[in-house]
Amino acid sequence: MHRQTRTLHSGWTLTCLGGPGVRPGLPEAIAATVPGTVHTDLLAASLIPDPYLDLNEITVDWVGRCDWRYETAFDWQDDGAEQVELVFAGLDTFAAISLNGVEIGRTANMNRTYRFAIRDHLRSGDNHLVVTFESAWKRGEVLDKQYEPRPNNYPGPANLMRKMACNFGWDWGPTLVTSGLWQGVTLESWSGARLARIRPEITLDGADGVVRLNAELAGDAQGLSLRVSVAGVTETLPVSGAVATLDLRVKSPQLWWPHHLGSQPLYSLDVELLSGDTVIDRWSRDIGFRSIRLDTTADEHGSAFTLIVNDAPVYVCGANWIPDDCFLPRVTPERYAGRVTQAKDANINLLRVWGGGIYETEAFYEECNRQGMLVWQDFLFACAAYPEEGDLPVEIEAEARDNIVRLMPHPSLVLWNGNNENIWGWFDWGWQDVLEGRSWGQGYYLELLPRLVAELDPTRPYWAGSPYSGSMGIHPNDPAHGCTHLWDVWNDIGYEHYADSVPRFCSEFGWQAPPTWATLTQSVHDNPLTPTSPGVWHHQKATIGNDKLLRGLQGHLPVPQTMDDWHFATQLNQARAIAFGIAHMRSHRLRNMGAIVWQLNDCWPVTSWAAVDGYGRKKPLWFALRNVFATHFLTIQPRDGGLSVIAVNDRTLFWRGPVTVKRLRFDGTVLAEWTHWRLCADRLSAAELPIPAEVATPGDVRNELLVVTMHDSTAIHYFADDIDLDLPAPQADFALERSGTDRWTLSVTARSLLKDVCVFVDRLHPDAGVDDMLVTILPGQSHIFTIDGASDLDRAALTSAPVFRTANDLVRGG
């Protein structure tokens, strides 16, 4: 009998079983969606306000403190199958499952799949299935008494359980403690045997691709065989036990590459379990052939940290990824596709799935496979000490085994990482005094997880933490070794201090700004709206975050006096800060081989470090990333007491051509000019060209700039910060034309220097977007902006503040 699978997603109801602060007058039961969460069911029934709006997060806090019961009925008729199993792909988190009045299991981990044998508990006709969830807050109180104190950077018991840590709040996220059947529920029937676990180890041997297929079987597999096919190659193997291993060699397959280096051919890997000629179970995934290794060789600067794909060293232009919504089932495959596309369009080539979130659903990794987006996957530990006693080690091992095996077929996945900031915390955050010798997770990161990766997925590198130097004998955040986090810049000092060091690899650094105006006003309804009005303040989760926003402007931009200027200045400063840091790091390519900005996305509308806000709109930072992560990137950097042009080439062909350097007054007058007739940057490298002092030295630092061009790449350098520049009053001529039903072109011709032009069309039409921002236009030059999503546009509103903005406005007081 072929294994039969049936989803159990209909007919569910939800009942509140009570808890602290429960809302009076709740209906006895409401309709429930599976997959789903309690919060989204209550929202659909209009029983709670939207927690993303205003101060509603506080209003709905009671939801996470209650126990909840899901129940449904389903019809079952005996089809003669020897085994019937109830499979839960994701239960959040502490659940008791009963079928027809009999408890069949309990769960305590939202990050793994659970499978229960239920044939003996089924009856012909109607069957009653109940899943009861205990509040994670309530279970946390029990665990808190069980474990002695363990440091945690954030309130809540996330480090004592296996639940998404940021559920309990983060410095960019709300405290919305969920429960529910967040992934699918299926009924599986089978006889004899089934495929239990498939592990394809995919490697290259010279020009050939090799698949070592490891299959674990459940049931009695005697007399069965395994047939495996990929890329036109098929092999069959008789099964003699519970584990079978089969090697397939594919002659000269096309290689899978990150998107900036090549194409992403995918091949279907098909596994069939046969009884004679009859297929009784099957498994299929799309795979890609590529090699991956992590180079940590010692050198004159310390030790490298370089990802090497298909023997090519890759400079990582990355972004950290957090859960894209607090209510996980709302992140559809289409939403994943849109967000990964936004990353790719910003020239990002790697997403780091951060350890305070989840192992994402298959749709995320499949999209990364298709789009050539590399994935760095954290194991789920973040910013806290984790006990190594009690039930946690068993849960953590089961969770890791589940997810290593589930994710290893994906060619996009290139690195397993043990934790986020926990080793750093043990070194620097006072943990050792608090712990007094108690466990904190070291055994997970240095023993358990590397052992499991070596056993289950030996083709991929494992790294113990981010940050981590590679040795407990070297400080984990030493920039000369391993991967580094740079958070002192945002927290304590100005962004110019990104240039103080050259990390071998920077896996976290970031700068805050509010969301787009449309997102801010869609989610906050304060009147008046100010940086410190209640709703805006509530949607700023970082400690003294607004103070840091203003402090970060010091020395760069004037203190804004209006809400409009505050919004623009802080967004502009975010883009400037991150672009400055990345340009510095990329200019030291080879010594530095990666910059992963914190962060790509948000899970709700909030002032944060994200480039794409919680409603999916692009902040100016997104446009800055697109520029500074370009595969052909030109930058002007201080070198040896002068200035040099650095041409960074992350393509597979050399980049060469004439370089022209001009020193101009702000009115466009050319004061000095020099052309170097051929600068050549070899493939996957950077080339440096010193600028002659007579060109690089200004006569008036307040009124001059350098412009460097090489082919279609341009770099601009100012000799002082904006606050010390004599930027002119912005003057321009505009031409607005409709180019489609909802598309427009805005031509801007500068009559004065226009620095960092932004067109915030979302202020006029919330769903509209523009194709470019942060554009500097020299006097006499023009730039065309394309606007999409606006059925009509008011030319006067479009071409004046607060929609049309330049840095000139801020310096000159609006």
Side-chain angles (χ1 to χ4, degrees):
M1 173 183 175
H2 187 276
R3 179 165 61 99
Q4 303 292 320
T5 300
R6 169 187 170 190
T7 60
L8 298 180
H9 291 171
S10 61
W12 289 88
T13 60
L14 175 67
T15 302
C16 181
L17 303 181
V22 62
R23 177 186 160 177
L26 283 175
E28 182 175 342
I30 61 172
T33 300
V34 173
T37 72
V38 169
H39 285 83
T40 48
D41 288 334
L42 294 172
L43 272 169
S46 300
L47 292 171
I48 59 171
D50 187 340
Y52 288 7
L53 305 184
D54 301 309
L55 306 185
N56 292 344
E57 174 201 347
I58 301 170
T59 304
V60 303
D61 185 67
W62 62 272
V63 176
R65 299 182 184 277
C66 289
D67 298 340
W68 297 88
R69 182 175 67 233
Y70 284 81
E71 51 192 316
T72 191
F74 63 92
D75 179 74
W76 179 79
Q77 302 298 328
D78 193 340
D79 58 4
E82 296 173 2
Q83 302 288 340
V84 182
E85 294 175 319
L86 184 61
V87 183
F88 294 93
L91 291 160
D92 179 15
T93 293
F94 299 101
I97 300 105
S98 65
L99 178 64
N100 298 324
V102 177
E103 184 175 296
I104 60 172
R106 288 179 175 262
T107 74
N109 192 330
M110 75 172 288
N111 306 313
R112 54 178 290 206
T113 296
Y114 287 91
R115 182 180 290 269
F116 302 100
I118 61 169
R119 200 188 196 301
D120 292 343
H121 306 295
L122 288 166
R123 58 196 182 202
S124 295
D126 280 347
N127 289 263
H128 187 218
L129 177 61
V130 177
V131 183
T132 304
F133 288 96
E134 179 187 3
S135 162
W137 282 118
K138 182 169 38 169
R139 179 64 67 91
E141 292 174 0
V142 174
L143 295 172
D144 197 48
K145 295 173 183 175
Q146 175 181 337
Y147 295 110
E148 295 183 85
R150 296 301 201 286
N152 189 344
N153 272 19
Y154 295 90
N159 59 327
L160 308 181
M161 60 181 65
R162 301 313 295 158
K163 178 173 171 60
M164 181 170 74
C166 62
N167 231 201
F168 294 95
W170 219 262
D171 54 7
W172 38 256
T175 301
L176 293 169
V177 179
T178 56
S179 53
L181 293 90
W182 77 278
Q183 294 200 74
V185 184
T186 55
L187 200 63
E188 295 189 5
S189 304
W190 53 279
S191 296
R194 65 173 176 84
L195 298 171
R197 180 171 283 180
I198 303 296
R199 294 192 302 106
E201 298 172 20
I202 303 158
T203 56
L204 299 178
D205 181 15
D208 294 346
V210 176
V211 178
R212 166 155 287 189
L213 196 287
N214 303 279
E216 297 179 26
L217 310 176
D220 182 6
Q222 292 298 319
L224 304 182
S225 59
L226 204 64
R227 182 165 63 201
V228 184
S229 302
V230 63
V233 178
T234 300
E235 297 284 351
T236 303
L237 175 75
V239 176
S240 58
V243 179
T245 301
L246 183 65
D247 289 341
L248 289 87
R249 180 174 289 268
V250 177
K251 294 293 185 181
S252 300
Q254 296 182 64
L255 298 187
W256 185 97
W257 288 94
H259 65 79
H260 69 298
L261 294 180
S263 59
Q264 295 76 47
L266 297 171
Y267 297 86
S268 180
L269 174 62
D270 301 304
V271 181
E272 296 172 314
L273 184 62
L274 304 175
S275 176
D277 293 328
T278 302
V279 177
I280 62 172
D281 201 2
R282 56 167 46 95
W283 176 100
S284 182
R285 294 289 187 279
D286 285 341
I287 65 168
F289 289 97
R290 57 106 186 94
S291 66
I292 179 70
R293 70 181 191 273
L294 180 65
D295 179 13
T296 57
T297 305
D299 58 25
E300 69 273 22
H301 302 295
S303 56
F305 192 91
T306 304
L307 279 172
I308 298 179
V309 180
N310 300 331
D311 292 328
V314 173
Y315 187 94
V316 168
C317 297
N320 282 272
W321 171 277
I322 66 169
D324 205 52
D325 203 292
C326 298
F327 307 124
L328 299 171
R330 297 207 294 204
V331 188
T332 61
E334 294 76 20
R335 186 156 151 185
Y336 278 125
R339 205 67 76 240
V340 174
T341 297
Q342 286 177 319
K344 182 178 178 180
D345 289 347
N347 292 315
I348 290 166
N349 60 28
L350 179 144
L351 293 173
R352 175 189 168 210
V353 181
W354 167 76
I358 60 170
Y359 305 99
E360 291 290 344
T361 63
E362 289 297 297
F364 170 80
Y365 303 94
E366 289 169 353
E367 193 61 41
C368 291
N369 296 342
R370 287 189 287 268
Q371 298 211 36
M373 185 66 64
L374 303 175
V375 176
W376 160 324
Q377 178 67 57
D378 281 14
F379 287 100
L380 303 187
F381 305 89
C383 300
Y386 288 76
E388 298 176 46
E389 299 80 36
D391 297 331
L392 271 181
V394 171
E395 281 295 341
I396 286 166
E397 177 164 352
E399 166 192 315
R401 287 183 177 277
D402 258 17
N403 287 285
I404 292 170
V405 172
R406 176 173 71 90
L407 300 183
M408 63 184 293
H410 297 289
S412 55
L413 178 60
V414 293
L415 181 73
W416 292 105
N417 176 57
N419 73 87
N420 177 75
E421 297 190 342
N422 294 349
I423 298 174
W424 189 16
W426 187 80
F427 269 80
D428 279 2
W429 298 350
W431 289 10
Q432 295 179 43
D433 293 337
V434 175
L435 287 167
E436 297 179 332
R438 291 188 292 275
S439 65
W440 56 276
Q442 178 175 329
Y444 301 138
Y445 319 135
L446 300 185
E447 297 172 19
L448 174 66
L449 295 175
R451 173 172 60 80
L452 293 178
V453 172
E455 172 193 340
L456 299 171
D457 189 14
T459 69
R460 281 186 183 84
Y462 169 85
W463 196 248
S466 182
Y468 184 57
S469 64
S471 167
M472 293 297 284
I474 301 174
H475 191 279
N477 212 27
D478 185 335
H481 302 274
C483 54
T484 300
H485 289 192
L486 292 176
W487 281 116
D488 58 334
V489 178
W490 157 253
N491 284 315
D492 302 315
I493 49 182
Y495 68 72
E496 64 275 10
H497 289 279
Y498 281 129
D500 290 352
S501 67
V502 181
R504 304 312 302 266
F505 191 105
C506 189
S507 45
E508 271 193 31
F509 65 109
W511 202 271
Q512 264 204 349
T516 60
W517 189 261
T519 292
L520 181 63
T521 54
Q522 186 176 336
S523 56
V524 175
H525 304 96
D526 298 342
N527 187 15
L529 191 72
T530 74
T532 56
S533 59
V536 177
W537 188 266
H538 185 74
H539 288 244
Q540 162 62 279
K541 296 296 187 179
T543 302
I544 60 170
N546 274 14
D547 293 344
K548 292 176 182 178
L549 285 174
L550 291 179
R551 193 208 64 235
L553 297 174
Q554 292 176 9
H556 302 292
L557 290 166
V559 176
Q561 301 301 311
T562 68
M563 180 63 180
D564 287 335
D565 279 359
W566 176 84
H567 187 263
F568 175 45
T570 53
Q571 285 199 334
L572 177 61
N573 209 47
Q574 178 190 41
R576 295 256 191 91
I578 296 305
F580 178 89
I582 294 173
H584 163 71
M585 285 184 258
R586 289 195 74 191
S587 77
H588 291 279
R589 198 190 193 286
L590 297 184
R591 183 172 173 184
N592 168 272
M593 284 301 289
I596 307 181
V597 67
W598 185 271
Q599 64 214 69
L600 174 70
N601 59 327
D602 271 327
C603 61
W604 78 312
V606 64
T607 295
S608 86
W609 297 264
V612 177
D613 73 23
Y615 289 160
R617 299 183 175 106
K618 300 170 185 174
K619 292 156 67 170
L621 173 59
W622 184 92
F623 296 91
L625 292 177
R626 184 178 64 178
N627 175 55
V628 78
F629 278 155
T631 51
H632 280 169
F633 175 61
L634 211 58
T635 180
I636 304 168
Q637 295 289 325
R639 292 288 191 273
D640 300 323
L643 294 174
S644 290
V645 178
I646 314 293
V648 181
N649 179 19
D650 274 318
R651 296 184 184 174
T652 56
L653 300 175
F654 60 80
W655 181 31
R656 70 182 181 189
V659 174
T660 298
V661 184
K662 294 181 181 181
R663 179 160 48 86
L664 309 173
R665 271 204 302 263
F666 288 173
D667 64 7
T669 302
V670 178
L671 301 173
E673 184 173 356
W674 174 70
T675 297
H676 180 80
W677 290 106
R678 180 165 293 181
L679 177 63
C680 184
D682 201 358
R683 61 187 179 185
L684 307 180
S685 70
E688 180 178 328
L689 177 66
I691 302 173
E694 61 270 20
V695 179
T697 305
D700 181 359
V701 297
R702 298 180 63 88
N703 192 33
E704 297 178 22
L705 74 160
L706 284 181
V707 179
V708 178
T709 56
M710 179 176 172
H711 293 308
D712 57 353
S713 297
T714 300
I716 294 177
H717 175 80
Y718 295 88
F719 297 99
D721 285 286
D722 290 41
I723 199 168
D724 296 318
L725 295 177
D726 291 331
L727 291 176
Q731 298 181 35
D733 296 319
F734 303 97
L736 179 65
E737 294 183 3
R738 185 188 291 272
S739 57
T741 305
D742 294 323
R743 171 169 286 195
W744 304 75
T745 58
L746 175 66
S747 177
V748 180
T749 301
R751 287 189 282 118
S752 68
L753 172 69
L754 304 178
K755 186 177 184 187
D756 287 326
V757 175
C758 294
V759 184
F760 294 111
V761 70
D762 64 289
R763 282 177 169 263
L764 301 178
H765 293 273
D767 296 327
V770 67
D771 71 329
D772 213 351
M773 281 200 195
L774 305 171
V775 180
T776 291
I777 311 175
L778 300 176
Q781 295 185 353
S782 299
H783 188 86
I784 294 176
F785 297 88
T786 300
I787 297 166
D788 282 297
S791 57
D792 61 88
L793 280 175
D794 182 297
R795 183 183 183 282
L798 182 67
T799 57
S800 58
V803 177
F804 186 89
R805 299 304 306 259
T806 67
N808 311 47
D809 306 338
L810 297 172
V811 173
R812 297 180 63 87

